[in-house]
Amino acid sequence: MDFLDKLNPQQRAAVTAGNGPILVVAGPGSGKTRVLTQRIAYLIAEEGVRPWQILAVTFTNKAAKEMQERVRKLLPGQATEGIMLGTFHSICARILRREADHLPIQSNFVIFDTDDQERIVKNVIRELNINEKLYRPASVHAAISRAKNELIDADHYPITNYRDEVVKRVYAEYQKRLIASNAVDFDDILLYTARLLTENPSVRDKYAQRFRHVLVDEFQDTNLAQYALVKELASHHKNIFCVGDPDQSVYAWRGADWRNVQRFEQDFPDAQVILLEQNYRSRQNILDAAMGVINRAKHRRRKQLFTDRGAGEKIFFYEAPDDYAEASFVVDTIAQLVASRQFEPGECAVMYRTNAMSRLIEEAFLQARLPYRLVGAQRFYGRREVKDIIAFLRLIHNPADEASLDRVINVPPRGIGDKTLTTLHLVARQNGLQPGEVLLDLARGSASPYWSSFTGRAVLSLADFGGMLANWRVAAQSLTVPELFDRIVRNLNYKEYIDDESEEGEDRWENVLELKRLAEEYATRTLDEFLENIALVSDQDTITEGNVPTLLTLHAAKGLEFGAVFIIGLDDGIIPHSRSFDEPEQMEEERRLFYVGITRAKDKLYLVRAIQRGGRGSFEETYPSRFLDDIPADLLVGKTRTGRGLKGSAPETHWRSHRTQDKPAPVRDALYRAGTRVRHPVWGEGMVLDSRLQDEDEIVDVVFDSVGIKRLSASLANLKIIEKR
């Protein structure tokens, strides 16, 4: 048991803890994987537990494989085969196949992937004559998935409005079709297993008696169904060992519920709680900044992270004049860090809140002719929605572009299937034309010589699209690039098509808006120039694997670590995201997300924001992230917009958005209250969400009917009150 000698006191207490329920609250970089694997090894080597009596649950197959290998190395020569170690879904699928006699499906069931699931939902919606535009398949499927994660079946789906009633009808039919196909979806795997164990005591007892010890990794990321599962599996011996950190719970949109940690303590009041607070990753200044942020979170168990790695350098804060300067600063700084041999390229990472923010960073790397690696998403110009809009623009510019035509001829769906598209190509070849030329001619209606080559329904759809394309081509002669962009998106109802109100749908729409911001820069230039620029920067050959800087979202960064970390976009509305402004639970998760980002840094941390965003020529003033106020000022070094050094400032930092013009007249009393209706000279009417006095001014959050949420300075915004609360 030499491996115990290398553990710190808290880790050793966790590994060697006796029987009963145990909760290990493991701070970032505190060695939780080591604790889990050594706990398994300790149970086998010291407690005499047989491998097959141990159940260990992780969230990825990779993590499960690594744990298996580590246990083997810790116990050379000892039998370690038989441990049931895997993901929730893999373990539950194994149980379901063994216990299929208790289920409405057979043991050879198939598992439908996301595309299969959404296709069934879409068919059900159509067959029930439900308006697909009002009840998008992806959105309805997401509601069904959430219900299953909370152990709610179709019969018990709660109805509070008409939409719930529609979802319940679709849910019931969807489930019937899965069973008829002898299939399950990912959520069923958990739901069926949880019900199997709760409703069949003999089955539950068989597994609960077999598994003397149940160990769970990343416990803060479990949903209600997963919590119910581990609780049932540990119901006999009560030896449940959960490792996690509620402060790192950032996947609520996937169904994760950090409150499972609280449920654990309520359900097992005699549980041992062990804190892992020693960090082996980061310098103390980075940890102190992280604690400054997370200590403001509510309903959490406080812990104090510490390290033996020393204080390290102070955190560098940079306030760029605009988002282009923000990207340039990041790339230039990485180049300097690498040139001075402080870090290898692969030790540097750039993190951001949404995928759309990668565009300017990617372009800055390309302009500097430096390679990079994008994690967790396609490159900006490779994303479906971005490629769609570019294809429409290319087709307007050049109707002979077959690739673009084939891509978007049925986007959004307009009843033009593969057979019709094949016929279009055939007719074009027979007449020595390009398909786009035939399409434009069909816009003339039955006068077109190609009209009779298609069936009635198909030719009408082709003619409609051809007419729309013809109108766009005429409009392109007088409209600017951004005006043409808006016309296309509006005519297609593209927002309704791409944004299904899920987190992913909102991200897709943000990507479209980011492309629009690029288009704004070409308001005085040609469509040809716009398309040429995009073609040059979207070269897929620029992506390089290996020792290169990493670009990734804060969500994708969880579990990773880097020598130097740049967190960009530290503006209110980005971090935290604007959709969290009126949702306290979401705001708490945004805080945890920022905490996760900070704690990825080992030696250097850069916090970066832009004073203005939105594209050259159409800037929008931003406000610093409210989370920046929580970082002690004596941990920071850098420059604000005015060039004022942050070093040595007051302990409580208030981040101000200084303007180049004269200081506005002070506002001494709040004029606006939540619920007040106001009018803005540009954005029209809106409602005040929040207002507070700050730096002798009043900062007002307003949700406008036209553009959504904006944060404004009352002394400069020229707001007119039209209805007081």
Side-chain angles (χ1 to χ4, degrees), residues 26-29 218 220-221 245-251 281 558-559 592 595-596 599-600:
E218 302 288 6
Q220 78 282 346
D221 291 335
D245 182 6
D247 291 342
Q248 297 183 73
S249 179
V250 295
Y251 296 128
R281 175 190 301 150
K558 189 163 178 285
R592 295 194 295 268
Y595 169 76
V596 165
T599 55
R600 300 309 95 193

Side-chain angles (χ1 to χ4, degrees), residues 285-560:
N285 282 340
I286 293 171
L287 297 178
D288 289 346
M291 296 309 297
V293 170
I294 202 62
N295 280 341
R296 297 294 182 94
K298 301 173 182 176
H299 312 301
R300 63 179 291 270
R301 179 186 292 275
R302 292 178 71 91
K303 55 183 178 295
Q304 187 59 48
L305 301 179
F306 67 94
T307 182
D308 291 336
R309 296 195 64 227
E313 296 184 23
K314 295 200 174 186
I315 294 153
F316 195 96
F317 171 71
Y318 181 69
E319 197 171 49
D322 58 48
D323 40 7
Y324 284 84
E326 177 184 55
S328 296
F329 167 79
V330 169
V331 174
D332 290 347
T333 305
I334 290 175
Q336 291 170 5
L337 292 174
V338 173
S340 62
R341 300 182 183 276
Q342 295 183 59
F343 295 97
E344 288 291 314
E347 294 179 293
C348 302
V350 186
M351 300 176 187
Y352 35 80
R353 178 61 180 82
T354 63
N355 281 314
M357 295 188 69
S358 75
R359 178 180 73 85
L360 291 181
I361 298 293
E362 290 183 63
E363 290 186 6
F365 271 106
L366 295 177
Q367 290 167 8
R369 298 186 177 182
L370 294 174
Y372 64 91
R373 181 170 66 104
L374 189 70
V375 171
Q378 289 178 301
R379 295 182 70 249
F380 179 78
Y381 292 104
R383 293 167 191 155
R384 184 189 78 184
E385 55 277 7
V386 173
K387 295 182 75 170
D388 282 352
I389 300 298
I390 291 173
F392 281 115
L393 289 166
R394 284 174 49 180
L395 192 59
I396 292 168
H397 181 64
N398 175 23
D401 184 343
E402 276 195 38
S404 293
L405 177 69
D406 289 354
R407 179 178 183 85
V408 299
I409 195 168
N410 200 42
V411 175
R414 53 177 60 88
I416 301 175
D418 292 341
K419 185 177 179 180
T420 301
L421 184 57
T422 300
T423 303
L424 177 63
H425 279 273
L426 180 63
V427 170
R429 283 198 300 272
Q430 289 173 343
N431 290 276
L433 300 171
Q434 289 297 108
E437 295 174 288
V438 174
L439 190 70
L440 287 169
D441 195 78
L442 288 172
R444 298 192 297 124
S446 57
S448 170
Y450 316 115
W451 189 268
S452 60
S453 301
F454 303 90
T455 62
R457 179 178 297 179
V459 76
L460 290 174
S461 297
L462 288 170
D464 284 346
F465 185 57
M468 189 158 54
L469 178 59
N471 289 334
W472 286 337
R473 282 179 55 77
V474 171
Q477 297 173 22
S478 58
L479 296 180
T480 65
V481 173
E483 288 171 343
L484 180 61
F485 188 108
D486 286 341
R487 174 78 64 89
I488 294 167
V489 171
R490 185 171 61 251
N491 289 166
L492 294 170
N493 289 322
Y494 196 74
K495 184 179 191 302
E496 288 73 15
Y497 166 64
I498 207 70
D499 184 1
D500 59 8
E501 298 177 2
S502 66
E503 180 106 6
E504 293 85 352
E506 291 180 11
D507 285 346
R508 289 192 291 267
W509 180 241
E510 284 183 6
N511 289 332
V512 174
L513 294 179
E514 181 62 27
L515 184 63
K516 168 67 186 306
R517 283 190 278 272
L518 177 61
E520 293 282 359
E521 297 179 25
Y522 288 78
T524 59
R525 300 166 70 183
T526 66
L527 178 60
D528 184 46
E529 290 176 293
F530 178 69
L531 293 174
E532 180 180 329
N533 176 70
I534 285 175
L536 291 175
V537 300
S538 61
D539 179 5
Q540 293 289 327
D541 294 334
T542 58
I543 301 178
T544 306
E545 296 294 329
N547 188 18
V548 296
T550 300
L551 280 58
L552 70 171
T553 65
L554 288 164
H555 281 103
K558 189 163 178 285
L560 303 177

Side-chain angles (χ1 to χ4, degrees), residues 77-148:
Q78 289 198 42
T80 59
E81 298 299 323
I83 301 172
M84 188 174 275
L85 201 164
T87 65
F88 274 101
H89 287 90
S90 65
I91 289 171
C92 289
R94 214 179 308 175
I95 292 174
L96 291 180
R97 293 195 191 280
R98 291 175 181 171
E99 309 296 339
D101 290 346
H102 301 279
L103 304 172
I105 50 174
Q106 299 174 12
S107 62
N108 62 341
F109 61 81
V110 295
I111 301 172
F112 280 176
D113 63 19
T114 303
D115 288 341
D116 297 328
Q117 297 164 30
E118 289 191 9
R119 191 177 301 114
I120 295 174
V121 170
K122 187 173 186 177
N123 291 339
V124 170
I125 286 173
R126 287 179 175 176
E127 291 175 25
L128 293 178
N129 292 318
I130 295 169
N131 188 327
E132 195 173 330
K133 291 183 178 179
L134 291 177
Y135 302 96
R136 301 187 192 96
S139 180
V140 173
H141 177 259
I144 294 171
S145 178
R146 285 193 297 272
K148 289 185 176 184

Side-chain angles (χ1 to χ4, degrees), residues 164-229:
D164 292 339
E165 187 176 321
V166 171
V167 171
K168 181 170 185 172
R169 288 168 56 203
V170 175
Y171 185 179
E173 185 60 31
Y174 167 74
Q175 206 60 27
K176 287 179 185 176
R177 298 193 185 194
L178 284 177
I179 293 171
S181 301
N182 193 35
V184 296
D185 61 20
F186 297 124
D187 302 309
D188 281 333
I189 294 174
L190 303 178
L191 176 63
Y192 278 152
T193 309
R195 290 212 158 163
L196 175 70
L197 298 176
T198 55
E199 296 175 3
N200 295 273
S202 61
V203 175
R204 179 195 62 217
D205 291 345
K206 178 169 66 173
Y207 290 97
Q209 289 174 21
R210 169 187 166 178
F211 297 126
R212 282 181 56 189
H213 290 269
V214 177
L215 299 91
V216 186
D217 191 13
E218 302 288 6
F219 187 58
Q220 78 282 346
D221 291 335
T222 55
N223 59 35
L224 198 57
Q226 290 162 333
Y227 177 67
L229 280 167

